Amino acid sequence: MVHGSLNKAMKKLYRHELDFEQTFEYVRGNLGEVNQLSSQFLKLSVSKGNFYVLLPEGSDTKRIYEFNSGYITSFVDKEISRYVLDVTKKTPYSYIFDDVTVNASDGFKDEFSLKYSVFLNNEVYYLIKKESISEDLFLKCMKASNGIWHSLCLVTEIDFDDMPNKNLDENVIKKFCSNAQLAMIGAYDGEGYIFWERKDPLALKNLHA
């Protein structure tokens, strides 16, 4: 199904539904025991949704389930960023990305990390509240989160105003996952994403009308 032209300079993205069991085998292996966000998402959320991918024309769809392989899709991060923001712009959702390439103990001095990073023990995440999101910021988070072998972003309905500092705890992570509405899971050797969406989420009920 064609999602539509994002603008004249961007490629069209085509939605391809994925078989749950075939896709879950990869997702479980990719997310298992990586960090608390991945682990809790597997426990609390995955079974409540469906999987799909967004691919541009010319992608090798015969290899669509070769999630560990590259050269199946072309680089479409800008299109994916625009897509996610388009379908969530009228919702109360916020966004959390994990980053498996760094540790909290590394220390951060750049403006982006100082402003948006949050931590659970030595795990690093980037938290973007609804009022702060933009296409450029989403792209920066995608780039920071992409560890080639692993990347996870959750779009979640949760109030972050009660977070007193940058330190998360397991209960907050569980809230992220229990209220997740949409997720992006790195695939295709870092060149694409598997999408997960909650079944019949209220705020996204007209997403593909």
Side-chain angles (χ1 to χ4, degrees):
M1 179 175 72
V2 180
H3 175 69
S5 177
L6 301 178
N7 65 37
K8 291 183 179 180
M10 290 190 173
K11 300 174 184 176
K12 291 182 180 179
L13 296 179
Y14 294 78
R15 174 170 168 144
H16 301 267
E17 307 296 332
L18 295 172
D19 176 78
F20 185 91
E21 294 302 327
Q22 281 185 269
T23 308
F24 180 66
E25 182 177 355
Y26 168 81
V27 169
R28 179 173 54 191
N30 185 266
L31 299 186
E33 300 182 5
V34 173
N35 53 43
Q36 279 296 313
L37 189 70
S38 292
S39 297
Q40 295 299 334
F41 177 67
L42 281 176
K43 291 178 183 178
L44 301 175
S45 306
V46 169
S47 63
K48 300 175 183 178
N50 302 305
F51 295 116
Y52 64 96
V53 295
L54 296 172
L55 301 175
E57 187 175 4
S59 298
D60 190 354
T61 55
K62 292 181 180 179
R63 300 170 58 212
I64 202 168
Y65 289 101
E66 295 181 23
F67 300 120
N68 285 306
S69 301
Y71 302 104
I72 290 173
T73 181
S74 58
F75 186 80
V76 287
D77 278 10
K78 287 185 178 180
E79 288 84 350
I80 287 175
S81 175
R82 179 70 58 84
Y83 166 83
V84 173
L85 267 61
D86 278 352
V87 302
T88 60
K89 63 185 177 183
K90 294 182 179 179
T91 70
Y93 302 156
S94 295
Y95 313 79
I96 183 168
F97 297 75
D98 68 4
D99 187 348
V100 297
T101 67
V102 295
N103 297 310
S105 58
D106 294 339
F108 298 91
K109 296 181 179 179
D110 62 286
E111 182 180 354
F112 167 77
S113 297
L114 288 171
K115 188 171 184 178
Y116 298 108
S117 58
V118 292
F119 312 103
L120 176 58
N121 299 321
N122 212 27
E123 298 173 0
V124 178
Y125 303 94
Y126 304 110
L127 178 59
I128 315 298
K129 296 182 180 180
K130 173 64 180 180
E131 59 270 20
S132 301
I133 197 65
S134 68
E135 187 176 341
D136 286 343
L137 182 55
F138 194 88
L139 279 167
K140 285 183 179 179
C141 290
M142 287 176 69
K143 182 177 180 180
S145 175
N146 193 342
I148 300 179
W149 65 273
H150 171 89
S151 177
L152 175 64
C153 167
L154 298 186
V155 181
T156 184
E157 186 174 11
I158 182 174
D159 185 1
F160 297 114
D161 291 339
D162 59 354
M163 290 177 54
N165 52 49
K166 285 180 167 288
N167 295 311
L168 307 177
D169 59 39
E170 189 172 321
N171 288 330
V172 173
I173 292 289
K174 287 181 177 179
K175 287 182 181 179
F176 290 164
C177 297
S178 296
N179 293 281
Q181 305 296 313
L182 190 70
M184 292 169 47
I185 301 152
Y188 304 125
D189 200 26
E191 296 172 357
Y193 294 88
I194 293 168
F195 283 83
W196 170 92
E197 66 179 3
R198 185 176 292 272
K199 295 176 183 176
D200 301 319
L202 180 62
L204 298 182
K205 63 183 180 180
N206 297 317
L207 176 58
H208 304 294

